[in-house]
Amino acid sequence: MCVQCSSCRLRAKWNTYIHMFVFLQKVFIYVIEDDKAKSTEPFTTGVRGQAPPLVTTNFQVKDQGNASPRFVRCTAYNMPCTADMAKQSQVPLAAVIKPLATLPQDESPPYLVDHGEGGPIRCNRCKAYMCPYMQFIEGGRRFQCGFCSCVTEVPPHYFQHLDHTGKRVDCYDRPELSLGSYEFLATVDYCKNNKLPQPPAFIFLIDVSYNAVKSGMVNIVCQELKTLLDYLPRENPEMDSMVRVGFVTYNKVLHFYNVKASLAQPQMLVVSDVSDMFVPLLDGFLVNVNESRLVIESLLDQIPEMFADTRETETVFGPVIQAGLEALKAADCAGKLFVFHTSLPIAEAPGKLKNREDKKLIGTDKEKSLFQPQVGFYNTLAKECVAQGCCVDLFLFPNQYVDVATLGVVPVSTGGSVYKYTYFQAQTDKERFLNDLRRDVQKLVGFDAVMRVRTSTGIRATDFFGSFFMSNTTDVELAGLDCDKAITVEFKHDDKLSEETGALMQCAVLYTSCSGQRRLRVHNMAVNCCSQLADLYRNCETDTIINFFSKYAFRGILSNPTKAVRDTLVNQCAQILACYRKNCASPSSAGQLILPECMKLLPVYLNCVLKSDVLLPGADVSLDDRAYLRQLISCMDVAESHVFFYPRLLPLTKLESGSLPVAVRDSEERLSKGGVYILETGLHLFLWVGASVQQELLLNIFGTPSFSQIDPNMTSLPVLDNPFSERLREIIDSFRAQRSRYMKLMVVKQEDRTELIFRHFLVEDKSASGGASYVDFLCHMHKEIRQLLS
């Protein structure tokens, strides 16, 4: 090609564009559909280093010695043998662990093992718990630890003979010797102050300021709690829940309620000195629901009436959490606070905040300060909450800036959750809020939890991401740990690994169950080790890598400008792909983009992370929204982060029972004027209706013959007696059942103003905030790779 000829250069560039466009057309649909087609048999976990099916595939798991991918997913199932090799590849080595994940009905929950007063059997040196990787020697009298190789005596009560292969003859009768996940009943030595714990308590703290009452929130919460108290978490569905409950209302002052069973009416006690918080009553504050039911119901009926005419607009927030914490301390138990809050706490009190939302700082070096807490008070409070096992769930109903970055500190540090309902309207938002609240109150949760990750010699856990607190470098402390929370752990080499033995990881979580039992949940994982880069690239999981990258980046914006964080991500991704191209791919022309088989979707997903509202906000994205998403994603599992970054878009022209339509790519050019599509993001659910859609389809879905008659404000579809309507509603219900947050349905008519919101989630297109389209990003990535190679 002549040096001067610009037309040649342009033609070469366009050839590259066309090649890439054809490439990405094919790749996306095939990767996901191909995995579904391959995964017809149950996934058995007995093979070391075997990558599981993708999170987009429905599959059954059979535990045969490694933890199910529902509990643990790794970025790589074939770890590099050396630190140099890991550095060369730039592939992050991490695991996303969801210790209390809910399993489908056709999979049995982890077995509970009771070793009596002696407690669980452990390695003498590294304290790893008994698991399938322990090697029994000397006829079964001792065992060698798979993690540190130390030899430990087998206690007499645990002794068993070995068979001709060196396995214990009772191997398959003991979950801890044959399964990847199980639980031990912990002894009193594993309890605080060597004392068995009390059952936990739930405290409901309700903002009764003017905004809270006017929006209808107070009335809705009080009405719902009357029913919800029958569904408090319990170990055995046949038994009553052992969780006790308490109630507080607040604005500028706090009102505690005595709901003792012997009272004819509830009693209110007011604490107006919020600078020195105390609980004005002990007996009658935390009660058994069944015993005090009549008094509780009377209170919940009275609260909305008592504050119906309030004019108080100012609220406190710090003292509210202090009140719940002090109540749990006085009762000597762990528990959870459910805080329903509406506004920036500007009343004179500890933890008082000021409005610091400043659009001028966005994109500057000072932007990072807006994601950090405004005052140190909440960090100290969070530490105290964790020490007591006091988990905080915060339900926010803001009409303006409330500083989520600061208010979220205690929920995030205690293993709790933040829910946000901006401009809450009872009519349209009640369903979403109530479904979130019901799930939050009922879901499986452990209290006063400590998680430790042990590894075999050669690697160690160096970094952790999620909703928790750490007072040292090894123990992840969680006042509460529920079935939706994932903790992401990064590993680094501290020695050479062996291809023969592979690498081992054991995650142990000590927690108090909702009935007050101290338990240890253990998950084990063995992966292969490799000395060839090609083996590493063959066994990676892109969805888990993206989960790790997003958490790494979203934490990075606390200390770096967002542009620097985006550049770091692009650079690392380019290095991963350049290393593959240089060391593993067969020789080809420089104009070709060559990606590893299991990373074909890495560029499209990475572009979605780069364009997310946290790293590249549009003009209409508030600082609170960005802080909220940043906190939310920090504890997402792989399935939720996948659909969050790359939403699921399904055409609804034909619906067959039992199977879903094949998803199409998230791009406007995929939408047909004559079609109807459903888009799911894990937080939102859209039904897009094309302007030229057939009358029959409109009648089947909406019961109306014309496009103009569709009500765009509807949040649920009409119940119509036809197979299409029934199947569509089934699909919507199944999507909602898969997610930890309830997704409100939004009907979007083509060329309506709400289409702007919908288009924001068509992530392959260029975004309004300046994010690149997938094609442009792929070309940019190709250029970066070529630069690194040259």
Side-chain angles (χ1 to χ4, degrees), residues 502-706:
L504 306 178
M505 179 196 89
Q506 184 181 78
C507 163
V509 181
L510 176 65
Y511 72 96
T512 302
S513 73
C514 56
S515 61
Q517 238 181 19
R518 204 73 176 137
R519 293 183 179 181
L520 267 156
R521 180 165 288 201
V522 180
H523 298 296
N524 302 289
M525 177 64 80
V527 296
N528 285 332
C529 294
C530 58
S531 54
Q532 300 297 317
L533 282 164
D535 292 330
L536 163 66
Y537 282 102
R538 211 172 282 126
N539 283 287
C540 291
E541 194 185 27
T542 297
D543 289 314
T544 314
I545 290 173
I546 287 295
N547 180 288
F548 173 82
F549 275 162
S550 62
K551 290 172 182 178
Y552 185 79
F554 287 11
R555 187 175 69 184
I557 62 169
L558 293 173
S559 46
N560 301 288
T562 47
K563 185 184 181 306
V565 172
R566 287 200 305 272
D567 291 347
T568 303
L569 276 185
V570 171
N571 183 261
Q572 187 167 358
C573 185
Q575 285 188 321
I576 290 171
L577 300 176
C579 176
Y580 174 79
R581 174 72 188 253
K582 183 178 174 184
N583 299 289
C584 310
S586 47
S588 58
S589 81
Q592 269 188 300
L593 177 66
I594 297 180
L595 303 177
E597 194 58 41
C598 64
M599 289 190 189
K600 287 240 162 94
L601 301 181
L602 186 63
V604 68
Y605 292 161
L606 184 77
N607 191 31
C608 298
V609 175
L610 296 170
K611 285 158 69 173
S612 66
D613 288 333
V614 178
L615 294 182
L616 193 68
D620 56 342
V621 179
S622 71
L623 184 63
D624 272 347
D625 278 337
R626 294 174 72 195
Y628 168 68
L629 290 174
R630 199 189 77 75
Q631 292 168 357
L632 187 61
I633 284 146
S634 72
C635 55
M636 269 188 185
D637 71 354
V638 180
E640 297 230 307
S641 63
H642 167 86
V643 78
F644 177 82
F645 289 114
Y646 196 97
R648 174 157 58 162
L649 180 63
L650 304 181
L652 299 176
T653 335
K654 289 194 186 82
L655 289 185
E656 293 163 19
S657 63
S659 65
L660 287 174
V662 174
V664 294
R665 292 182 21 240
D666 288 350
S667 171
E668 199 171 346
E669 67 177 41
R670 298 276 134 192
L671 304 175
S672 148
K673 276 191 168 187
V676 178
Y677 298 79
I678 194 163
L679 180 89
E680 184 225 352
T681 77
L683 297 179
H684 308 91
L685 202 54
F686 297 94
L687 192 69
W688 184 89
V689 188
S692 315
V693 72
Q694 288 177 338
Q695 195 177 46
E696 186 191 358
L697 207 51
L698 292 177
L699 284 165
N700 282 340
I701 299 172
F702 303 104
T704 176
S706 109

Side-chain angles (χ1 to χ4, degrees), residues 121-150:
I121 314 294
R122 308 175 72 173
C123 165
N124 267 350
R125 186 198 291 157
C126 73
K127 303 298 181 199
Y129 293 92
M130 183 52 68
C131 68
Y133 315 133
M134 302 303 191
Q135 183 73 42
F136 287 87
I137 54 174
E138 295 177 23
R141 286 186 294 279
R142 306 172 89 187
F143 70 89
Q144 185 170 25
C145 176
F147 295 88
C148 71
S149 301
C150 173

Side-chain angles (χ1 to χ4, degrees), residues 119-281:
I121 314 294
R122 308 175 72 173
C123 165
N124 267 350
R125 186 198 291 157
C126 73
K127 303 298 181 199
Y129 293 92
M130 183 52 68
C131 68
Y133 315 133
M134 302 303 191
Q135 183 73 42
F136 287 87
I137 54 174
E138 295 177 23
R141 286 186 294 279
R142 306 172 89 187
F143 70 89
Q144 185 170 25
C145 176
F147 295 88
C148 71
S149 301
C150 173
V151 174
T152 302
E153 294 280 336
V154 173
H157 73 272
Y158 197 69
F159 172 78
Q160 187 54 271
H161 295 285
L162 308 184
D163 65 14
H164 65 286
T165 65
K167 270 190 172 171
R168 282 174 56 126
V169 295
D170 65 348
C171 174
Y172 294 104
D173 301 327
R174 289 192 177 273
E176 73 275 21
L177 299 180
S178 55
L179 299 178
S181 301
Y182 41 86
E183 288 199 319
F184 290 118
L185 201 56
T187 57
V188 73
D189 309 342
Y190 289 84
C191 303
K192 259 189 200 164
N193 310 322
N194 282 12
K195 206 167 78 181
L196 289 171
Q198 300 280 339
F202 282 3
I203 302 175
F204 299 92
L205 304 112
I206 307 165
D207 175 350
V208 287
S209 64
Y210 176 75
N211 281 340
V213 174
K214 195 179 104 189
S215 70
M217 181 272 279
V218 173
N219 192 38
I220 290 169
V221 169
C222 292
Q223 285 309 308
E224 181 59 28
L225 286 179
K226 288 195 287 189
T227 315
L228 206 46
L229 294 176
D230 287 329
Y231 297 96
L232 295 172
R234 64 204 74 205
E235 229 91 60
N236 181 349
E238 310 298 311
M239 308 275 285
D240 288 337
S241 173
M242 296 173 77
V243 175
R244 291 173 295 163
V245 297
F247 302 89
V248 175
T249 56
Y250 67 93
N251 39 47
K252 266 194 343 193
V253 298
L254 277 78
H255 325 103
F256 292 79
Y257 296 94
N258 184 345
V259 284
K260 203 170 166 180
S262 56
L263 294 174
Q265 280 291 324
Q267 294 173 347
M268 179 202 276
L269 289 92
V270 180
V271 174
S272 51
D273 181 7
V274 289
S275 61
D276 185 17
M277 187 42 63
F278 68 99
V279 180
L281 78 157

Side-chain angles (χ1 to χ4, degrees), residues 58-80:
N58 276 332
F59 59 96
Q60 190 191 9
V61 180
K62 288 200 169 154
D63 184 343
Q64 293 183 348
N66 277 314
S68 159
R70 307 196 201 287
F71 293 124
V72 183
R73 276 188 180 265
C74 301
T75 53
Y77 290 87
N78 211 334
M79 276 197 174

Side-chain angles (χ1 to χ4, degrees), residues 301-488:
D301 284 335
Q302 287 175 37
I303 288 172
E305 293 169 16
M306 278 192 285
F307 299 99
D309 301 321
T310 184
R311 287 282 168 266
E312 184 55 74
T313 56
E314 290 189 358
T315 58
V316 295
F317 185 71
V320 178
I321 294 173
Q322 284 175 326
L325 172 61
E326 292 304 321
L328 293 177
K329 275 185 186 170
D332 192 23
C333 70
K336 189 185 267 199
L337 313 184
F338 296 82
V339 184
F340 305 91
H341 188 78
T342 58
S343 57
L344 191 71
I346 55 170
E348 207 50 59
K352 173 185 174 180
L353 301 176
K354 60 179 191 289
N355 190 333
R356 56 167 180 165
E357 187 173 36
D358 189 351
K359 286 270 166 79
K360 291 197 293 295
L361 297 183
I362 291 167
T364 70
D365 279 4
K366 290 184 177 172
E367 182 182 14
K368 56 181 181 265
S369 66
L370 301 176
F371 292 106
Q372 297 160 0
Q374 198 179 130
V375 290
F377 169 83
Y378 291 102
N379 295 74
T380 310
L381 182 55
K383 193 175 175 180
E384 290 172 27
C385 285
V386 172
Q388 183 56 39
C390 168
C391 176
V392 179
D393 279 358
L394 174 59
F395 293 81
L396 282 172
F397 305 84
N399 287 340
Q400 52 197 22
Y401 177 75
V402 288
D403 199 347
V404 174
T406 304
L407 297 190
V409 166
V410 180
V412 166
S413 304
T414 58
S417 305
V418 179
Y419 297 85
K420 186 164 167 284
Y421 311 90
T422 312
Y423 303 118
F424 179 80
Q425 290 179 308
Q427 195 181 346
T428 53
D429 298 308
K430 177 181 175 180
E431 186 185 13
R432 179 165 75 104
F433 162 54
L434 287 183
N435 275 283
D436 283 344
L437 177 60
R438 284 169 195 150
R439 194 173 189 284
D440 198 52
V441 168
Q442 294 175 46
K443 67 185 169 188
L444 175 69
V445 60
F447 292 95
D448 221 349
V450 181
M451 176 175 124
R452 172 76 70 93
V453 176
R454 293 177 174 86
T455 52
S456 53
T457 310
I459 52 162
R460 61 192 170 90
T462 55
D463 209 349
F464 301 84
F465 303 82
S467 290
F468 53 75
F469 180 80
M470 290 185 83
S471 52
N472 57 38
T473 55
T474 52
D475 294 328
V476 174
E477 298 171 56
L478 303 115
L481 171 64
D482 65 52
C483 57
D484 296 324
K485 295 290 184 303
I487 292 131
T488 300

